Amino acid sequence: MTDQLGFTVQLKTDFATAIQRVTDALKAEGFGVLTEIDVKETLKKKIDVDFRPYKILGACNPTLSHRALTAAPEVGLLLPCNVTVSQEGEGVIAVSIVDPIAMLGVVKHPELESVANEARTKLERVAASLQNN
């Protein structure tokens, strides 16, 4: 499923398995996870709020990032590509992947178009591989 900011797929699995599957699918397309933000843990620690399991993974494809940063250094404000993994119900995990074309739409730079298209194609394959497994 596609929304304005990205692609969302639902997995029928547990949270830890979903994180591993997403990480593996990203790796298969040349992305590494540079950052991992545990939203549930952070909200509990900072404001003592209970929240469902929810992580934000900062994924980076070094080749694409280098091309984008070389073309327009300000694009670093939009990097890395975020992927969220959240518990929606018992055994139901939502994985949302940012759409690089939507994100780069705020930076009007013609050289970024090919990078965004290539990144989107790779991330669409990540989403497709998650749906097929």
Side-chain angles (χ1 to χ4, degrees):
M1 172 164 68
T2 303
D3 59 36
Q4 290 181 345
L5 296 177
F7 326 106
T8 300
V9 297
Q10 286 195 336
L11 307 179
K12 304 279 192 227
T13 190
D14 63 274
F15 191 76
T17 300
I19 292 289
Q20 189 60 55
R21 285 179 56 194
V22 169
T23 301
D24 291 346
L26 287 165
K27 185 176 181 180
E29 288 295 332
F31 290 85
V33 175
L34 299 178
T35 60
E36 185 173 310
I37 300 168
D38 187 331
V39 174
K40 176 182 178 170
E41 179 183 298
T42 300
L43 291 177
K44 186 65 175 175
K45 183 176 169 183
K46 298 291 185 182
I47 60 173
D48 196 28
V49 170
D50 291 319
F51 197 72
R52 69 186 184 278
Y54 191 114
K55 287 193 178 183
I56 303 169
L57 307 177
C60 177
N61 179 301
T63 302
L64 294 177
S65 295
H66 179 255
R67 285 175 44 206
L69 290 166
T70 300
E74 67 274 16
V75 81
L77 292 168
L78 303 175
L79 298 176
C81 294
N82 283 329
V83 177
T84 62
V85 181
S86 63
Q87 181 91 41
E88 297 296 311
E90 188 63 37
V92 179
I93 309 297
V95 178
S96 295
I97 304 171
V98 71
D99 180 353
I101 292 175
M103 293 305 295
L104 292 179
V106 301
V107 179
K108 303 298 181 207
H109 200 289
E111 291 180 45
L112 293 176
E113 193 172 315
S114 67
V115 177
N117 284 325
E118 190 173 338
R120 182 182 199 189
T121 298
K122 289 178 176 296
L123 292 171
E124 285 175 329
R125 285 195 300 254
V126 169
S129 75
L130 291 169
Q131 282 183 314
N132 295 330
N133 287 329

